[in-house]
């Protein structure tokens, strides 16, 4: 009986893995196709589509834009999220509980609604199809994540160590810079990595406010797929997955994800 | 009673803290601490010990009351201006710094020069017997070693007072005994005034010059271990420090000396000074006597009659459970091999006495 159960559970896990990884595996295979249309399995092999992608100005422009925006968004998420998380965990002020729950509101609202709202605010403000506009829109997505992760890390630190520093003569700013912040490194890295990935992959909000002069990579890819389907799409997907994976690996290697999320 | 006649190093005056619960967590607590004294703050969990320490350190602002240090009330000073050494139950070491950096932290903030700092760190580490551990990280140390780093970090700044919050409770039994002597030894070598918080009466009795016993936020008694043990001021102290039997007794004032009776039988004669001054004839009192003070004899004269229920050899003593005529139970401790121990056969009828000086009397 237990043998049977163990077989069932193993089969189940295998099935889930297949469902999750099959599309990625197929995309990876197709990216090395020599065909000029999407077909599986490909009739021949080549690296030519990788070359085509790297030579495509629209994609390369999109990549550059996305990378710049993602880096700025990650930095701002940290710069804005850290003080917010600190206040929500360590300081006592009226309405703290309410703000704590409101912070995650953007995560539960449909992205379409958010996008529409952002468009309505950004158009009169002249922020559509600008770097600041895209950065702001992405921050709406990433800040709740950053604040939540930093909030968890911060409350897991407890207050004893900071208080010990205080009794040894450290003023609050010294405590924060010399004790709290260094101990918060895993959370800082994790929240930045998440913000970076979220911003780089973001499409729904971006679709509302990109313009012909300023496109992100996911939007460029989306538009391209609308018109044509060739293995170039698979190549781009592979490259984007590889980038996200690289960031995740860096986090895992430097601090470990379990630690980064404060468990 | 002038301040000058009692040069208290530190004076806690009617200190009160209210978290907003049913009653204040610390309630008009007052006592003095002499320079160089090792004083224990003893009481059951939740009696307000940590709250008191946190007010001391400036991590909580008292609801009312004063903490006077060097003739000045320090209550309004922030923690970083108090020059106190606080050792947390969790040690609270800085995990991202080496042991030496941990210890040097307070000195660095005081802008002590590099050479002097290094010398003082080395000296503090020597005081806690951790020479050669300076380059380790806290995570590479055992619990007892981390504890000693925390103490070194606190004493290196030469604090007015060292505050230790249940420093031994996270250690295993063997290490606990070792650290008990270690901490007392460090204190006598450095001469630092120390407030040692514990819920363990054994720790307090063996380590402290004086003990302040707390219960429900209030001070029950303060005194030397011997005073606290031999002359408990309240039934709570009697029951909390060591083991104590409480015998319900009725006061008989009648003609002659006042007597105490239990179920019509006379208890050993009470010390008149012990009796509550307002006690009237027939007042219900409680007589407290330690298990080792009870003497057993044959039933042929004075003494409460009792029956032996059980007799258990526990090594250094024999523990005997006795039942009085009315059903009230007592525990006595007898020396193995003594004549008394011979009498203590289960089912045997015996007479119980104790010396007047071994009995404390409280209002019931
Ligand atoms: N942050 C807090 N908020 C509310 N009540 C508290 C808080 N901390 C402690 N208390 C209460 O105050 C009392 C004293 O606590 P504490 O000083 O920690 O006791 P001890 O250290 O003697 O075990 C306890 O009844 C406890 O429940
Ligand atoms: Mg406590």
């Amino acid at each position: 009986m237990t043998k049977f159960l163990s077989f069932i559970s193993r089969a189940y896990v295998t099935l889930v893995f297949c469902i999750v990884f099959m599309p990625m595996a197929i995309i990876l295979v197709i990216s090395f196709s020599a065909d000029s249309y999407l077909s599986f399995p490909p009739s021949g092999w080549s690296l030519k589509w990788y070359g085509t992608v790297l030579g495509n100005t629209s994609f390369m422009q999109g990549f550059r834009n996305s990378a710049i925006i993602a880096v700025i968004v990650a930095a701002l998420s940290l710069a804005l999220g850290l003080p917010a998380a600190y206040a929500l965990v360590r300081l006592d002020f009226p309405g703290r509980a309410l703000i704590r729950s409101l912070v995650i509101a953007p995560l539960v609202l449909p992205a379409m609604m958010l996008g529409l709202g952002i468009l309505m605010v950004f158009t009169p403000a002249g922020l559509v199809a600008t770097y600041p506009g895209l950065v702001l829109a992405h921050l709406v997505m990433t800040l709740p994540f950053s604040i939540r992760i930093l909030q968890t890390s911060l409350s897991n630190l407890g207050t004893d160590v900071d208080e010990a520093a205080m009794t040894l003569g450290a003023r609050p700013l010294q405590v924060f810079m010399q004790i709290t912040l260094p101990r918060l490194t895993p959370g800082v890295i994790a929240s930045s990595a998440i913000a970076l990935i979220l911003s780089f992959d973001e499409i729904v909000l971006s679709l509302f406010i990109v313009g012909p002069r300023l496109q992100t990579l996911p939007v460029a890819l989306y538009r391209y797929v609308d018109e044509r389907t060739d293995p170039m799409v698979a190549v781009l997907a592979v490259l984007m997955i590889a980038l996200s994976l690289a960031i995740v690996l860096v986090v895992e290697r430097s601090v470990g994800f379990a630690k980064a999320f404060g468990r | 009673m002038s301040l000058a006649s009692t040069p208290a190093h530190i004076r806690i005056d009617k200190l009160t803290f209210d978290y907003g619960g049913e009653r204040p967590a610390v309630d008009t607590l007052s006592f003095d601490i002499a320079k160089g004294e090792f004083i224990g703050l003893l009481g059951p969990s939740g009696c307000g010990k940590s709250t008191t320490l946190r007010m001391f350190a400036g991590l909580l602002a008292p609801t009312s009351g004063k903490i006077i240090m060097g003739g000045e009330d320090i209550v309004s000073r922030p923690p970083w201006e108090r020059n106190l050494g606080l050792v947390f139950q969790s040690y609270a070491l800085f995990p991202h710094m080496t042991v030496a950096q941990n210890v040097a932290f307070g000195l660095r903030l005081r802008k002590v020069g590099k050479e002097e700092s290094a010398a003082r760190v080395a000296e503090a580490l020597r005081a806690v017997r951790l020479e050669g551990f300076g380059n380790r990280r806290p995570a590479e140390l055992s619990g007892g070693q981390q504890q000693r780093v925390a103490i070194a970090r606190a004493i290196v700044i030469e604090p007015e007072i060292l505050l230790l919050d249940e420093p031994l409770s996270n250690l295993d039994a063997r290490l606990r005994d070792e650290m008990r002597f270690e901490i007392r030894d460090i204190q006598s070598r450095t001469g630092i005034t120390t407030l040692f918080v514990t819920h363990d009466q054994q720790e307090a009795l063996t380590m402290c010059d004086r003990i302040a016993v707390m219960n429900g936020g209030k001070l029950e008694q303060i005194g030397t271990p011997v005073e606290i043990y031999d002359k408990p001021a309240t039934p709570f102290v009697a029951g909390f420090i060591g083991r104590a039997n409480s015998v319900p007794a009725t006061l008989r004032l009648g003609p002659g000396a006042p007597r105490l009776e239990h179920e019509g039988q006379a208890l050993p004669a009470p010390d008149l000074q012990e009796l509550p001054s307002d006690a009237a004839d027939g007042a219900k009192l409680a007589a407290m006597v330690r298990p080792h003070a009870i003497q057993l004899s044959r039933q042929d004269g004075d003494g409460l009659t009792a029956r032996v229920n059980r007799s258990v050899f526990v090594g250094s003593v024999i523990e005997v459970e006795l039942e009085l005529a009315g059903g009230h139970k007592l525990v006595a401790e007898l020396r193995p091999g003594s004549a008394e121990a011979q009498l203590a056969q289960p089912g045997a009828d015996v007479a119980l006495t104790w010396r007047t000086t071994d009995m404390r009397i409280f209002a019931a």
Side-chain angles (χ1 to χ4, degrees), chain A residues 226-240:
Chain A
D226 222 21
E227 295 162 12
R228 277 186 291 170
T229 45
D230 56 40
M232 203 148 97
V233 177
V235 169
L236 270 169
V238 167
L239 291 179
M240 287 179 73

Side-chain angles (χ1 to χ4, degrees), chain B residues 19-21 23-26 43-52 165-166 197:
Chain B
Y19 285 106
R23 50 178 175 69
V26 175
S45 182
C47 75
K49 306 182 295 292
S50 296
T51 305
T52 306
D165 195 356
E166 313 222 12
V197 164

